Amino acid sequence: LLGVLAVLLIPAAAAAADPVRIVSLAPNLTEILYDLGVEDRIAAVTDYCDYPPGAKAKPKIGGFVNPSLETIVSLRPDCVVMTQDGNPRFLERRLKNLGIKTYVFKTTRIRDFPQEVREMGVVLGVGSAADRRAHWIEERIRRIEEKARQRSRVGIQKALFILQPTPLIAAGKGTTIDDVFAILGIHNIAAAGTTRYPKYSLEEIIRLAPDALFFGKEPGIEERARPLVLRLATVDAVRSGKVFFVSETIYRLGPRIASSLEEIAACLDAR
């Protein structure tokens, strides 16, 4: 009887153990893992996990939308962290069928991010550290939002964040960027679009008349954006010099999102 009980209890004990071989399937999740201090437990990351710098040296399992299941399995992970917003939907089911534990990061909203960090921390066995980091992020966001409410209502009121100049694609409703604008009290022109990433014609942008234009800093973006900006010369955003190129961290819902909020807020206060 004792032998049978021992056999039955082993899986439960194993399941309760903190993961020691973690595979991350998204850049923002890799950043969270490092922020929580479990970088030594990371067995592999995606090709796009480039921050912190140490992540570049980790073994790779392929792309964000097309990770290699074979490579993941070969690494014998005891937990795969993945995101609902981008990773293949079938992958979680395949991993579970193979007996591999998964954690799916579900939120796409900035205000929900700290709580998701807490939940992820519990799964990884670092609940206390996760709670401290989550609280720190919450406080930064609260202070940024409070300051935004106090700033003058003159100047930038409506803005557009352009993800791609040609064809012209903007960040619409339900994106992290839309959340950033909402927290800072700025109307996101693209929020009226029918998709998360609506396309626009030049004429539509002129008609919508944004007070500011934002682009993410990526290789060659200023050169690629220049023809569009020149064609929008009559728009208030361009005439008043409110064309900004900001850090790509705004694309990642991770520990640096508060810094992205502060960076955008500084642009709004620029004279």
Side-chain angles (χ1 to χ4, degrees), residues 67-95:
S68 168
L69 178 62
E70 183 179 359
T71 303
I72 294 170
V73 174
S74 72
L75 291 164
R76 301 176 64 84
D78 48 18
C79 185
V80 175
V81 293
M82 55 195 303
T83 176
Q84 187 171 273
D85 187 30
N87 288 144
R89 294 291 179 89
F90 71 87
L91 195 58
E92 180 191 9
R93 184 175 66 254
R94 295 284 296 275
L95 290 168

Side-chain angles (χ1 to χ4, degrees), residues 159-179 181 187-202 204-205 208 210 212-216 218 221 228 232 250-251:
L160 188 70
F161 198 108
I162 298 173
L163 300 171
Q164 181 177 295
T166 310
L168 202 163
I169 299 175
K173 193 172 182 63
T175 62
T176 301
I177 292 164
D178 184 55
D179 257 8
F181 283 173
H187 172 61
N188 179 17
I189 286 175
T194 56
T195 68
R196 292 180 70 194
Y197 302 102
K199 291 183 180 180
Y200 287 97
S201 67
L202 188 73
E204 285 177 301
I205 302 303
L208 292 167
L213 295 176
F214 289 90
F215 296 85
E218 56 185 78
I221 185 63
L228 172 64
L232 293 173
I250 195 171
Y251 298 149

Side-chain angles (χ1 to χ4, degrees), residues 32 39 47 69 105 173 269:
I32 295 170
E39 60 269 24
D47 297 340
L69 178 62
F105 189 89
K173 193 172 182 63
D269 291 334

Side-chain angles (χ1 to χ4, degrees), residues 145-165:
E145 190 168 19
E146 197 172 86
K147 186 177 178 182
R149 288 197 201 100
Q150 295 169 355
R151 78 177 180 83
S152 172
R153 286 290 128 192
V154 299
I156 297 172
Q157 299 297 311
K158 52 183 180 176
L160 188 70
F161 198 108
I162 298 173
L163 300 171
Q164 181 177 295

Side-chain angles (χ1 to χ4, degrees), residues 95-236:
L95 290 168
K96 284 185 174 179
N97 288 342
L98 292 169
I100 298 174
K101 182 179 179 180
T102 63
Y103 176 80
V104 182
F105 189 89
K106 295 183 173 64
T107 189
T108 59
R109 310 307 299 267
I110 292 175
R111 288 185 178 86
D112 297 335
F113 174 71
Q115 183 57 33
E116 187 88 37
V117 169
R118 288 186 177 97
E119 293 173 11
M120 186 171 169
V122 170
V123 170
L124 300 178
V126 288
S128 295
D131 188 57
R132 287 194 299 271
R133 296 301 293 163
H135 179 72
W136 181 76
I137 293 168
E138 282 171 336
E139 282 301 297
R140 284 186 73 187
I141 293 171
R142 184 189 61 76
R143 288 195 298 269
I144 293 165
E145 190 168 19
E146 197 172 86
K147 186 177 178 182
R149 288 197 201 100
Q150 295 169 355
R151 78 177 180 83
S152 172
R153 286 290 128 192
V154 299
I156 297 172
Q157 299 297 311
K158 52 183 180 176
L160 188 70
F161 198 108
I162 298 173
L163 300 171
Q164 181 177 295
T166 310
L168 202 163
I169 299 175
K173 193 172 182 63
T175 62
T176 301
I177 292 164
D178 184 55
D179 257 8
V180 168
F181 283 173
I183 288 170
L184 296 176
I186 299 300
H187 172 61
N188 179 17
I189 286 175
T194 56
T195 68
R196 292 180 70 194
Y197 302 102
K199 291 183 180 180
Y200 287 97
S201 67
L202 188 73
E203 292 73 23
E204 285 177 301
I205 302 303
I206 292 172
R207 178 178 58 81
L208 292 167
D211 299 325
L213 295 176
F214 289 90
F215 296 85
K217 284 180 186 172
E218 56 185 78
I221 185 63
E222 293 193 37
E223 184 178 343
R224 288 189 289 117
R226 190 175 297 117
L228 172 64
V229 173
L230 288 173
R231 294 174 71 189
L232 293 173
T234 59
V235 173
D236 285 346

